[in-house]
């Protein structure tokens, strides 16, 4: 028998276990705003279904009535570049472009495909990427796959960003500033208007914004933080996912027409993969058509978020959140695991977030609220914090 190096992996797993950083795939059944695991039925406070659309059976019934064997297609059988470009793809892209008042939009299989595909496609060795220190792993992977040089600036430290721009703008063909709008782990919100004004100082600087946690939730029409801050038209790559508040699957970018055409020619995670099944695009279109009318849900979520934020501050917790994502900072991974278990015993499905998802020493409980919760749920949660 050949010697196996399996034990090397097993040792590493044992180390992860010892430091309480071992991950498992949790089993769970979804029951509206609740979740059922081996520990029982709990209020789901770890969901990305921010508007409660995924939990809404009425909405699904309405959608099902629109389906026929002709448009209920479970596969596209091909890349969009070959035979997979079904009409519904362009319907969704035109709808997005109309909603955002933009020239064009392009849809991807997931937010992960979007972030790992766009940056390598639009940059080269004469590109500098300036990325916020806390951007999502998918953006880090996109940066790693690109030929660009990258410098990470301290989280939301735009004074440092300004210095980097001044220092480097003449050395590179282009600079791309990369940020999230609502940060996925701290729940704080980028000052996009300030980033736009920094960008406009130089003619070779572009802005890339990932609205994964902003779209659907923020802005009067639900278009995200860029809408809220009035800078949709100033963002070169306005990206988001359909997988969270919009209760579907896929990613998108809203951009100028030449950029879309360039991506179609150069973006490997668009070109070399089978496109999403058309039925998923039908559902995305169904949701997007209703996006503007979901204002009541957005208001409700904002109300719950500020109630919980006030309560956390009142208890002396350091909570940087300005959104529906509310971390309870714990620091130590063991303590975060223990505190999350305690919350679950009380009937609240809360998960610890540990390294490498967050920096070493900043383990936390991550609460994400949804519009499917009730005022009684929030009151009960606050009493049990
Ligand atoms: C979830 C997430 C993604 C990935 O989107 P998927 O559609 O789930 O692949 C990208 N960026 C951020 C900031 C995210 O939180």
């Amino acid at each position: 028998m050949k010697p196996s190096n399996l034990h090397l992996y097993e040792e590493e797993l044992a180390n992860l276990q010892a430091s309480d950083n071992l991950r498992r795939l949790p089993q769970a059944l979804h029951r509206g705003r609740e979740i059922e695991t081996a520990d029982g039925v709990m209020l789901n406070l770890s969901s990305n279904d921010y508007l409660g659309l995924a939990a809404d059976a009425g909405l699904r019934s309405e959608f099902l009535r629109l389906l026929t064997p002709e448009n209920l297609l479970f596969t596209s059988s091909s890349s969009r570049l070959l035979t997979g470009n079904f009409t519904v793809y362009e319907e969704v892209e035109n709808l997005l472009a109309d909603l955002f008042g933009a020239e064009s939009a392009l849809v991807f299989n997931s937010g992960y495909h979007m972030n790992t595909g766009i940056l390598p496609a639009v940059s080269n060795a004469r590109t500098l990427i300036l990325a916020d220190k806390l951007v999502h792993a998918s953006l880090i992977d996109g940066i790693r796959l690109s030929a660009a040089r990258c410098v990470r600036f301290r989280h939301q430290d735009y004074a440092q960003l300004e210095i980097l721009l001044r220092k480097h703008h003449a050395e590179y063909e282009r600079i791309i500033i990369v940020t999230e709008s609502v940060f996925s782990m701290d729940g704080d919100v980028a000052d996009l208007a300030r980033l736009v004004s920094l960008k406009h100082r130089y003619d070779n600087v572009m802005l890339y914004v990932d609205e994964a946690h902003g779209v659907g939730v923020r802005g009067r029409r639900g278009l995200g933080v860029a809408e809220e801050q009035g800078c949709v038209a100033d963002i070169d790559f306005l990206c988001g996912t359909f997988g969270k508040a919009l209760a579907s699957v896929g990613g998108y970018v809203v951009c100028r027409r030449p950029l879309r055409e360039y991506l179609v020619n150069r973006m490997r995670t668009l070109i070399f993969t089978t496109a999403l099944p058309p039925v998923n695009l039908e559902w995305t279109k169904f949701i997007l058509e209703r996006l503007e009318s979901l204002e009541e849900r957005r208001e409700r979520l904002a109300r719950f978020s500020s109630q919980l934020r006030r309560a956390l501050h009142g208890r002396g917790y350091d909570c940087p959140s300005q959104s529906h994502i509310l971390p309870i900072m714990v620091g130590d991974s063991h303590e975060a695991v223990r505190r999350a278990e305690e919350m679950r015993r009380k009937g609240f499905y809360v998960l610890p977030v540990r390294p490498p998802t967050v920096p070493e020493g900043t383990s936390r409980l991550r609460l994400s609220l949804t519009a499917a919760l009730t005022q009684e749920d929030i009151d009960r949660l606050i009493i049990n914090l």
Side-chain angles (χ1 to χ4, degrees):
M1 213 171 79
K2 272 207 291 190
S4 147
N5 61 2
L6 209 57
H7 69 280
L8 295 176
Y9 297 109
E10 285 170 338
E11 276 163 28
E12 265 186 64
L13 286 169
N15 290 340
L16 286 174
Q17 169 97 60
S19 57
D20 253 337
N21 286 323
L22 186 70
R23 292 152 183 244
R24 289 197 178 84
L25 296 170
Q27 256 175 4
L29 296 172
H30 292 268
R31 308 213 184 287
R33 65 193 217 291
E34 294 181 322
I35 187 164
E36 185 178 346
T37 73
D39 301 330
V41 177
M42 290 166 271
L43 197 63
N44 190 351
L45 297 176
S46 297
S47 172
N48 293 329
D49 180 23
Y50 302 136
L51 294 177
L53 301 177
D56 189 331
L59 210 55
R60 289 201 295 281
S61 304
E62 200 184 325
F63 175 68
L64 283 175
R65 285 196 289 275
L66 302 174
L67 294 177
T68 62
E70 278 64 47
N71 62 16
L72 182 62
L73 299 172
F74 294 116
T75 181
S76 66
S77 304
S78 164
S79 161
R80 287 180 71 193
L81 278 289
L82 300 172
T83 61
N85 194 32
F86 289 76
T87 327
V88 67
Y89 268 92
E90 297 197 345
E91 286 169 2
V92 167
E93 288 170 350
N94 291 336
L95 184 54
L96 279 169
D98 283 352
L99 279 170
F100 284 89
E103 280 182 17
S104 71
L106 188 60
V107 168
F108 315 109
N109 286 12
S110 72
Y112 191 82
H113 287 75
M114 158 188 97
N115 284 336
T116 52
I118 297 177
L119 286 170
V122 300
S123 52
N124 58 26
R126 297 179 305 282
T127 305
L128 174 67
I129 292 176
L130 296 174
D132 189 289
K133 188 80 191 163
L134 292 192
V135 294
H136 191 258
S138 56
L139 284 161
I140 303 294
D141 292 355
I143 292 167
R144 282 192 188 145
L145 286 169
S146 79
R149 180 179 160 220
C150 176
V151 177
R152 315 262 300 271
F153 56 92
R154 281 185 298 273
H155 180 50
Q156 297 225 44
D157 187 342
Y158 300 148
Q160 189 195 6
L161 175 62
E162 192 176 340
I163 292 168
L164 288 168
L165 285 170
R166 202 179 313 132
K167 183 163 163 217
H168 293 298
H169 75 93
E171 295 164 33
Y172 289 89
E173 190 175 277
R174 67 175 84 81
I175 296 182
I176 306 175
I177 302 171
V178 176
T179 187
E180 287 175 41
S181 61
V182 175
F183 281 86
S184 57
M185 291 300 142
D186 286 29
D188 56 345
V189 176
D191 186 347
L192 299 182
R194 177 138 177 231
L195 291 175
V196 163
S197 80
L198 280 178
K199 167 195 118 139
H200 281 318
R201 289 193 196 162
Y202 305 99
D203 58 12
N204 62 342
V205 179
M206 301 176 103
L207 182 55
Y208 184 116
V209 178
D210 181 348
E211 291 251 37
H213 303 276
V215 72
V217 171
R218 306 291 286 240
R220 196 180 51 78
R221 300 164 62 220
L223 302 181
V225 175
E227 183 203 349
E228 193 177 279
Q229 298 187 7
C231 51
V232 165
D234 296 298
I235 297 169
D236 302 277
F237 302 95
L238 184 51
C239 302
T241 171
F242 299 123
K244 290 170 178 149
L246 304 182
S248 185
V249 62
Y252 66 85
V253 61
V254 170
C255 60
R256 301 288 304 271
R257 212 183 308 277
L259 290 176
R260 180 184 189 278
E261 198 176 328
Y262 193 79
L263 291 172
V264 167
N265 281 275
R266 286 279 183 267
M267 187 170 159
R268 298 172 67 86
T269 60
L270 172 77
I271 300 171
F272 298 110
T273 186
T274 301
L276 285 180
V279 67
N280 294 106
L281 274 289
E282 295 287 350
W283 169 249
T284 300
K285 186 173 78 162
F286 177 87
I287 297 288
L288 284 176
E289 284 166 349
R290 283 154 185 76
L291 186 60
E292 295 193 61
S293 70
L294 301 169
E295 207 169 346
E296 199 267 329
R297 295 188 191 228
R298 284 189 278 278
E299 282 167 6
R300 190 179 169 73
L301 182 60
R303 194 167 61 244
F304 290 163
S305 305
S306 61
Q307 289 170 357
L308 182 58
R309 192 176 314 123
R310 234 176 297 132
L312 286 171
H313 288 159
R315 307 276 161 94
Y317 286 109
D318 161 33
C319 178
S321 168
Q322 298 165 293
S323 69
H324 56 290
I325 296 169
L326 295 118
I328 300 181
M329 296 299 184
V330 175
D332 178 61
S333 289
H334 301 286
E335 182 62 7
V337 169
R338 196 192 62 75
R339 292 280 305 275
E341 278 168 2
E342 186 182 313
M343 290 299 285
R344 292 202 291 274
R345 269 198 302 279
K346 292 180 182 170
F348 302 100
Y349 190 68
V350 173
L351 296 174
V353 183
R354 293 158 284 174
T357 308
V358 293
E360 209 60 53
T362 70
S363 288
R364 65 198 66 186
L365 309 186
R366 178 177 181 273
L367 276 60
S368 59
L369 302 183
T370 79
L373 299 171
T374 66
Q375 184 64 55
E376 292 69 44
D377 295 333
I378 299 297
D379 295 343
R380 194 159 59 84
L381 170 63
I382 288 174
I383 293 168
N384 281 285
L385 280 175

